[in-house]
Amino acid sequence: MQTNFWILVFLCGSVVASVLQLPLESHRDSTDISIRRIPLTTTGLSYEFMYLNLKDGFKGTGGDYDRDKFGDFTKRGDVLKRDAIQIVKITDHCGWTWYVGTWYSPWDNQTLELVHDCAVEIDHVVPLKEAWITGASSKNWGKWTNGETLRSQFLNDEENLVTVSATANSSKGAKAFPQYWPRPEGLCKFIRIWIKIKYKYQLTTTREEREELKKALTNCAQRGEITLPELESYTEPSHTETIDSHPAAQMSQLPVNNHSDGGDVGIRRLPRSDTGTITDFEKLEDLKSWSANGCACQNGYARENFGNNSGRMRKIREDLLKKHALLDDNGVKQFEKREISLLKYEIYGSWTSPWDGQTFKKAHSCIMEIDHILSLKEAWTCGACNWSQDEREDFAIDIANLVPVYMKANRGKSAAGFPTWEPWVDRERCNFAKKWLAIKHKWELSVTQAEFNALELAWYLCPRIQQTTVVPKPQPCW
């Protein structure tokens, strides 16, 4: 009787164990089926659909990341040929093949003309390490299917590959969005690829990442590079900000109203006295409300309209040269007035020209000229034609709008301005846009629609771009 009892217990235990194993086996099978679905098809899908279906999750630490786990990269030649503006294939007598051509690098907005292919590199928009810590470290990604692993398929996926300059690729490295932002000209392309690849391979995204993607998508939509019919009504779960509450989303087309205060010609009311107490966003909002007709004074400009300020400008020039002079090792301004005759002197010193980045040490000041950041002609076209004479003369000597630059840079810039002209030094581009906005607001000058859109984009992007990052120079490839 006792023996029969233990036989019964054994049989019941076997049945229970079998039942308990069923869900585990079923889960394992479903996991295999799920991983075999990757990469998902993206044909015919909108970017907003892919954004709304990004996989939520956290990132790993990447401590066990190993580039070799992705296999061999075989797509360099294909991508170089795909992205080339023009290209010539060269094979030497030893059988070594390389290319000479012209490529456009979207991340730094550079066109590299007739260069050896070592001057360009192939960038993984979603870096391999980012893929690893958001899903590719799974053992299923390492399984072989049809002669390749999912990791090797990701490594050689041409949709995730872009030809860029060696400098841009070195600067980006393994940085992921939103820690990395390309130049504005390449932003929308970058965002489209990022969303597509993250969706295609079901790589996880963090809340911060999705919120920044949403803002960038909105900005691209305002530039006409993307449409967002579904995204406009979407908010993150338990997150209060909607797309309409983001300041960048509230700025669209310039309205049709005129300056709110009227302002009779001849009555002195400029410059504004509150310009230092409000934010750049509020300045943009004001410009939007002032610019019904854009910049309409296309005729009648003459330098003489802004008065003869040569007497006051001599003192202002000296003050600016002293203010912007470089410091020596002891923290002393490298600025010297040398008397050449009674009541006559020359200025020597050291300066860095912001527009072109050139530095001049112990130089004669004749190489430096005083540039109007916002030119007199631009001011005339966008509102100064209706000012009083006193207002125009004050604008011409407004120190906030003056900066010493190398004479060739000043003459190269001439009367051009934002956004058709930018400083040649990357780190100065945001400073230039910020100063341009401040002067436009201070003097209540109108803006064109294209100018407003560019200022809005700069206002959004510049805080997110590390302008002081030192970009490593590419090493020679031979």
Side-chain angles (χ1 to χ4, degrees), residues 243-290:
I243 203 71
D244 293 329
S245 69
H246 188 269
Q250 298 170 1
M251 304 179 193
S252 53
Q253 298 298 309
L254 295 175
V256 293
N257 58 302
N258 291 314
H259 289 204
S260 57
D261 59 359
D264 296 329
V265 176
I267 298 178
R268 190 173 186 137
R269 58 185 183 84
L270 294 173
R272 295 173 63 92
S273 60
D274 64 348
T275 189
T277 63
I278 63 176
T279 66
D280 286 347
F281 173 67
E282 290 171 321
K283 292 175 186 176
L284 274 171
E285 285 285 277
D286 285 341
L287 287 183
K288 183 173 68 172
S289 68
W290 294 341

Side-chain angles (χ1 to χ4, degrees), residues 215-419:
K215 294 173 186 176
L217 277 171
T218 302
N219 196 281
C220 291
Q222 292 174 343
R223 296 166 61 182
E225 297 190 37
I226 254 179
T227 56
L228 304 175
E230 299 171 41
L231 185 60
E232 290 176 354
S233 60
Y234 174 77
T235 57
E236 283 281 347
S238 72
H239 186 60
T240 57
E241 180 187 75
T242 66
I243 203 71
D244 293 329
S245 69
H246 188 269
Q250 298 170 1
M251 304 179 193
S252 53
Q253 298 298 309
L254 295 175
V256 293
N257 58 302
N258 291 314
H259 289 204
S260 57
D261 59 359
D264 296 329
V265 176
I267 298 178
R268 190 173 186 137
R269 58 185 183 84
L270 294 173
R272 295 173 63 92
S273 60
D274 64 348
T275 189
T277 63
I278 63 176
T279 66
D280 286 347
F281 173 67
E282 290 171 321
K283 292 175 186 176
L284 274 171
E285 285 285 277
D286 285 341
L287 287 183
K288 183 173 68 172
S289 68
W290 294 341
S291 299
N293 300 318
C295 296
C297 294
Q298 297 297 324
N299 300 314
Y301 168 73
R303 174 61 182 85
E304 293 74 19
N305 294 336
F306 289 81
N308 181 2
N309 302 296
S310 57
R312 286 189 289 179
M313 273 302 295
R314 277 195 292 270
K315 181 63 169 68
I316 290 173
R317 169 184 165 80
E318 180 180 326
D319 291 342
L320 285 169
L321 287 171
K322 185 173 184 178
K323 175 183 176 182
H324 291 273
L326 302 178
L327 301 177
D328 62 17
D329 294 338
N330 297 318
V332 178
K333 290 272 188 181
Q334 297 184 56
F335 178 86
E336 179 186 1
K337 292 172 64 174
R338 298 179 185 176
E339 187 173 354
I340 56 175
S341 63
L342 185 63
L343 301 179
K344 288 186 178 181
Y345 56 87
E346 293 179 340
I347 295 175
Y348 288 81
S350 299
W351 298 275
T352 293
S353 172
W355 300 163
D356 55 354
Q358 294 203 58
T359 296
F360 303 93
K361 295 186 176 181
K362 298 181 179 179
H364 194 290
S365 62
C366 66
I367 65 170
M368 303 296 287
E369 294 182 349
I370 305 302
D371 177 41
H372 284 90
I373 298 171
L374 193 149
S375 70
L376 303 184
K377 185 175 182 179
E378 172 77 12
W380 175 269
T381 303
C382 298
C385 59
N386 296 318
W387 292 352
S388 69
Q389 184 63 29
D390 286 341
E391 286 172 331
R392 285 197 290 266
E393 291 181 8
D394 285 347
F395 177 85
I397 59 171
D398 182 0
I399 292 181
N401 189 37
L402 299 173
V403 60
V405 300
Y406 179 42
M407 59 182 182
K408 289 186 178 179
N410 187 41
R411 294 167 192 180
K413 173 177 176 283
S414 188
F418 188 84

Side-chain angles (χ1 to χ4, degrees), residues 79-182:
V79 177
L80 284 173
K81 288 184 281 187
R82 181 198 70 187
D83 293 344
I85 299 172
Q86 62 183 78
I87 190 169
V88 177
K89 182 179 179 180
I90 299 175
T91 303
D92 65 18
H93 66 280
C94 297
W96 182 261
T97 299
W98 70 91
Y99 298 93
V100 173
T102 299
W103 289 271
Y104 173 71
S105 172
W107 302 167
D108 54 354
N109 191 33
Q110 298 292 322
T111 298
L112 302 151
E113 296 186 3
L114 297 177
V115 295
H116 191 289
D117 66 31
C118 75
V120 293
E121 295 179 357
I122 308 302
D123 176 45
H124 285 85
V125 180
V126 177
L128 301 184
K129 186 173 183 180
E130 172 72 8
W132 180 265
I133 64 178
T134 57
S137 59
S138 165
K139 65 179 182 180
N140 292 297
W141 273 63
K143 291 182 177 179
W144 289 86
T145 305
N146 298 325
E148 64 177 354
T149 67
L150 189 55
R151 289 182 195 139
S152 64
Q153 189 172 347
F154 179 88
L155 172 71
N156 290 289
D157 189 337
E158 291 188 30
E159 290 189 311
N160 190 38
L161 302 174
V162 176
T163 304
V164 299
S165 70
T167 301
N169 196 38
S170 298
S171 177
K172 177 173 179 280
K175 290 195 286 289
F177 183 84
Q179 285 70 42
Y180 173 80
W181 289 73

Side-chain angles (χ1 to χ4, degrees), residues 46-48 187-193 195 213-214 216-229 231-232:
S46 65
Y47 289 101
E48 62 269 20
L187 174 64
C188 295
K189 178 175 182 175
F190 181 90
I191 293 300
R192 288 195 297 266
I193 297 174
I195 291 174
L213 283 170
K214 180 179 174 183
L217 277 171
T218 302
N219 196 281
C220 291
Q222 292 174 343
R223 296 166 61 182
E225 297 190 37
I226 254 179
T227 56
L228 304 175
L231 185 60
E232 290 176 354

